Amino acid sequence: MELQQLSSLGATSCARSLWSNGAQAAPGLNGTRASQRVLRVIAEVEEQAATSDKPTRSKGWFYDKFVAEQTMEAKLSKFQNDVKARNGYVGSWFEDSFKYTAWVQVHRVLTERGLQDVDCQEAYNRIKSAKAIAIDVREADDYANAHAEGAKSAPLFRLIQGNDMKSNMRRLGYALLTDFKGTERNPDFVAAATEAVGGDKTKQVIVYCSIGGTLQTFVERKGPKAKKYNDPERLFGRQSRSLKAIYELQEAGFTNVVHMKEGLNQWRHLDLPLEAME
């Protein structure tokens, strides 16, 4: 009890005041007994203060070396530092060719702006009635093979350009680690999207990629026993090219951008009309 009172009033300085003033500073306590209790409180307060100043105990060499930087807290801290240092962009040795906005930043901004989602059927109805223009942000080759009927192409990424050392290193990295062709950010993305709407950035644009992604941080189970619960795997939703592209378009001044849920994969599943480049 005394420890709580003294801590709230100024910890060690208050305790020492009690010691110097004796029973007058601690009404109801007398003589030696009071002095002993005050001494005990001083010791407890000083021990508490010393403990709070101790550095965090190491969890071991392996943890500090390999695990600490992989925790969610560490990753968030890195993202936040990157955002501050580069105006929202994550740094890259490959400079502008691979510069991108941290997903946590994209998720936060799109969530705050209340991004609207539509399902594939609703997207088809709006496109068919000319109420909206569909923009396919997949790579140009994917668009040429098949795309939603009436959609325009504005790829967020393109095949790696140039023959300088960094470009060749990126190509080599893709060849060694994946089965995909090497890609980089498309610097003409916003220009292509602007052309798709005829320069009118107030037109409604429905953006899609292959998978759609989501800003939701929870899983919703439908049916007679409907349930909604937080998903630790979706602390920041599920990122996708279409959501990242929407962020870029909004930042470029597009005012009526809508996201197509589940992407072209669901469009195909629903057997909605497709087109291909001849």
Side-chain angles (χ1 to χ4, degrees), residues 89 113 187 189-194 197 199-202 244-257:
Y89 289 102
R113 290 174 178 170
F189 165 64
V190 172
T194 303
V197 298
D200 185 357
K201 294 183 179 181
T202 64
K244 293 176 180 178
I246 288 171
Y247 172 83
E248 300 290 343
L249 291 176
Q250 289 182 346
E251 292 295 294
F254 284 73
T255 59
N256 193 0
V257 188

Side-chain angles (χ1 to χ4, degrees), residues 21-190:
N21 293 316
Q24 292 180 355
L29 300 179
N30 296 306
T32 305
R33 186 180 175 188
S35 300
Q36 290 174 346
R37 294 185 68 178
V38 172
L39 283 171
R40 188 181 74 245
V41 171
I42 291 174
E44 291 177 356
V45 172
E46 290 182 337
E47 181 181 358
Q48 187 182 71
T51 301
S52 64
D53 291 337
K54 287 182 179 178
T56 305
R57 180 180 297 178
S58 172
K59 295 184 179 181
W61 176 85
F62 182 84
Y63 181 90
D64 294 342
K65 188 74 174 176
F66 299 104
V67 180
E69 293 185 359
Q70 303 304 316
T71 63
M72 181 60 69
E73 292 78 8
K75 289 181 178 180
L76 282 176
S77 178
K78 181 181 183 301
F79 278 139
Q80 289 167 351
N81 290 335
D82 283 333
V83 167
K84 290 178 181 178
R86 292 177 176 255
N87 264 342
Y89 289 102
V90 173
S92 170
W93 185 70
F94 297 116
E95 301 171 347
D96 288 351
S97 297
F98 208 70
K99 185 172 70 172
Y100 65 97
T101 305
W103 168 246
V104 291
Q105 172 79 348
V106 173
H107 181 272
R108 180 186 65 79
V109 171
L110 293 183
T111 301
E112 289 176 353
R113 290 174 178 170
L115 176 65
Q116 179 188 355
D117 280 320
V118 294
D119 59 33
C120 293
Q121 185 62 57
E122 175 62 20
Y124 171 72
N125 294 340
R126 294 188 189 187
I127 297 165
K128 193 70 175 175
S129 61
K131 293 180 179 178
I133 297 173
I135 292 185
D136 187 322
V137 299
R138 299 174 304 147
E139 292 165 34
D141 287 348
D142 295 328
Y143 174 84
N145 290 332
H147 56 266
E149 185 179 68
K152 305 293 185 180
S153 177
L156 184 63
F157 288 83
R158 68 180 184 183
L159 293 178
I160 296 171
Q161 307 292 305
N163 288 307
D164 57 284
M165 183 183 73
K166 290 183 179 180
S167 297
N168 290 329
M169 286 184 67
R170 291 204 304 279
R171 289 193 189 92
L172 179 61
Y174 274 99
L176 292 175
L177 300 175
T178 73
D179 294 330
F180 303 105
K181 294 179 180 179
T183 58
E184 63 186 8
R185 291 301 298 269
N186 178 14
D188 300 322
F189 165 64
V190 172

Side-chain angles (χ1 to χ4, degrees), residues 191-213:
T194 303
E195 182 180 351
V197 298
D200 185 357
K201 294 183 179 181
T202 64
K203 286 184 179 179
Q204 184 169 101
V205 173
I206 298 177
V207 177
Y208 74 85
C209 61
S210 294
I211 61 172

